[in-house]
Amino acid sequence: MKKAWSKMFLIDITPHNHNCYDPIINQSIDNYLINDLKLPGHGLLCYINRPSVIIGSAQNAFSEVDLNYLEQNNVSLVRRTSGGGAVYHDQGNIIFENIISGNFDHCSDYNYFAEPILTVLKEIGLQGGHVSAKSALVANDHKFSGMCMIKGQNGYAAGGTLMFDMNIANARQALTPQKRGKVKRGVLSADRPIANLKPLLPDKFAQMSAETFKNEFLLHMFHVEHMKDIPTYHLTQKDWTNIFKLVTQKYGKNVWNYGKNPGYEYYSSLQLKNGQLHVNFSIEDQQISRIKFFGNIITVDAAEALEEVLLGANLNDKILNNLLSRTIFGSNKNFVQIITKMLLTPEKTHQIIG
């Protein structure tokens, strides 16, 4: 293991000694650490998210994700500020983030950050682990980790996943590469067979939870016998206040996570009594040129029917009401008014704070 890693420290991100599985909060922490706190040296985060799909900053969610599946199964969509592809997280999946402040010596060097991960996995029994396609960690010709980086003014983060015991069937349902041919704008994810680490490791790991494996992994990474012996920075109450401010102002907003879709100029969403409704659309010459509906109060067929009727429509109150009255929602005047309002007074993605 390279000498520089000997000075690495762990950054504890467990508020009030309880693990945080909220993907939006966890995704916000690295931005705070890079751009605001700027701890000197090399810190490491290691955490687990509840079911979620994390997409890159320049990705079009419609081409990567089954948004209706996410809404109906309580899976969060989270947009990170770095590039990279779409990945599924759940509580069988471990996320690691290297936070580097004060220098850019190894920025963009994925091998540098992959080396200690692969060294630890080899120590605990993984055979044939290696880096493939620049930023993927592979064993047995299957990907078990994808990595990405984000650069700040005074440092950068280099992180990735360790698929230990992830629900691969759910991941395949949430991620939808078959839709990509229909969406021309945005950065697409690279497809590669994925696999969990658990069946590739010795039998002693068969009954371990991801949380237990995460601690075992950290003990090997820092070459200690007890977690209390790992050099650690604990986030303070002031740190948490600043992190939650970022979540409230930007990273927790639907307009950031759902609305920032390349090729779609406008976004609007409403929280109704029985669920959420979202719409992304673009306008040319005061006509709707692109439009997508989704949410847990509307079926895929109903969304596509609305899109077909509204595509090419003029943004005019009377015209929209007339067109919507011809759909299956025509008898529901309240719903027609809701959709009309969403189209006439949307949130603009370029108005995102930050």
Side-chain angles (χ1 to χ4, degrees):
M1 198 173 294
K2 294 186 179 181
K3 187 176 180 180
W5 286 83
S6 63
K7 297 181 180 179
M8 181 175 64
F9 59 93
L10 184 67
I11 303 174
D12 175 27
I13 61 169
T14 54
H16 309 297
N17 297 317
H18 293 288
N19 288 315
C20 178
Y21 299 110
D22 188 319
I24 290 177
I25 293 174
N26 288 334
Q27 192 64 43
S28 304
I29 291 173
D30 61 353
N31 292 287
Y32 168 71
L33 292 171
I34 298 167
N35 298 313
D36 298 295
L37 186 58
K38 302 176 185 177
L39 292 170
H42 183 161
L44 178 71
L45 310 178
C46 205
Y47 59 89
I48 292 173
N49 284 331
R50 62 173 179 254
S52 52
V53 170
I54 317 297
I55 60 174
S57 59
Q59 288 194 297
N60 189 314
F62 304 125
S63 64
E64 302 293 340
V65 183
D66 185 338
L67 293 173
N68 287 284
Y69 174 85
L70 266 59
E71 291 277 357
Q72 292 160 13
N73 291 275
N74 197 30
V75 178
S76 301
L77 179 73
V78 182
R79 187 180 296 276
R80 59 179 177 266
T81 53
S82 63
V87 291
Y88 176 82
H89 290 176
D90 64 18
Q91 286 174 253
N93 191 56
I94 299 163
I95 301 97
F96 61 91
E97 291 274 0
N98 297 280
I99 307 294
I100 313 296
S101 296
N103 76 78
F104 295 91
D105 290 349
H106 299 283
C107 190
S108 301
D109 184 356
Y110 285 98
N111 285 312
Y112 176 79
F113 294 101
E115 179 191 350
I117 303 294
L118 293 172
T119 298
V120 169
L121 292 175
K122 184 177 180 180
E123 286 176 0
I124 63 178
L126 180 69
Q127 297 182 359
H130 63 280
V131 181
S132 177
K134 184 182 177 181
S135 60
L137 303 187
V138 176
N140 195 27
D141 201 33
H142 281 66
K143 176 180 174 180
F144 63 85
S145 175
M147 298 176 66
C148 63
M149 293 195 193
I150 177 174
K151 190 175 180 181
Q153 293 182 347
N154 191 51
Y156 63 101
T161 58
L162 289 175
M163 289 177 270
F164 179 68
D165 193 22
M166 188 179 74
N167 190 319
I168 292 176
N170 286 354
R172 287 173 177 155
Q173 286 187 278
L175 303 176
T176 53
Q178 69 272 16
K179 292 185 178 180
R180 294 176 186 170
K182 300 179 182 179
V183 183
K184 304 301 182 184
R185 299 280 296 275
V187 178
L188 301 182
S189 296
D191 295 328
R192 187 184 184 96
I194 60 176
N196 281 315
L197 283 168
K198 181 180 275 192
L200 302 178
L201 295 173
D203 291 343
K204 66 177 268 188
F205 298 99
Q207 302 304 317
M208 275 192 185
S209 67
E211 197 70 60
T212 302
F213 178 76
K214 181 191 75 173
N215 291 341
E216 182 83 7
F217 177 84
L218 289 171
L219 293 176
H220 279 81
M221 177 68 77
F222 287 93
H223 302 288
V224 297
E225 294 186 4
H226 305 286
M227 294 294 292
K228 63 181 177 61
D229 297 327
I230 297 175
T232 303
Y233 173 83
H234 300 275
L235 291 180
T236 66
Q237 186 58 53
K238 181 180 178 181
D239 292 331
W240 281 111
T241 298
N242 290 328
I243 289 165
F244 285 123
K245 184 177 180 180
L246 288 173
V247 172
T248 300
Q249 290 185 338
K250 181 175 181 178
Y251 300 116
K253 287 182 174 290
N254 280 340
V255 70
W256 166 259
N257 293 302
Y258 287 93
K260 193 178 179 296
N261 277 301
Y264 293 82
E265 182 182 3
Y266 298 103
Y267 167 81
S268 186
S269 70
L270 284 177
Q271 178 67 54
L272 307 172
K273 288 183 179 180
N274 53 341
Q276 287 189 336
L277 178 66
H278 308 258
V279 60
N280 288 71
F281 64 102
S282 295
I283 301 169
E284 291 182 13
D285 299 324
Q286 286 303 302
Q287 293 182 325
I288 298 173
S289 57
R290 294 170 65 96
I291 188 165
K292 293 290 293 185
F293 282 94
F294 59 98
N296 56 3
I297 65 167
I298 190 170
T299 66
V300 175
D301 290 342
E304 290 179 350
L306 283 173
E307 293 158 10
E308 184 176 350
V309 167
L310 292 169
L311 188 64
N314 287 306
L315 277 181
N316 174 279
D317 192 357
K318 291 183 179 180
I319 291 174
L320 293 174
N321 272 280
N322 185 42
L323 289 172
L324 290 167
S325 67
R326 301 175 189 174
T327 69
I328 59 173
F329 301 106
S331 60
N332 188 337
K333 293 184 179 180
N334 183 52
F335 196 70
V336 167
Q337 289 177 352
I338 286 172
I339 296 176
T340 300
K341 182 179 180 182
M342 292 176 75
L343 295 172
L344 293 177
T345 57
E347 295 177 89
K348 296 181 180 179
T349 59
H350 64 257
Q351 291 180 334
I352 297 170
I353 297 172

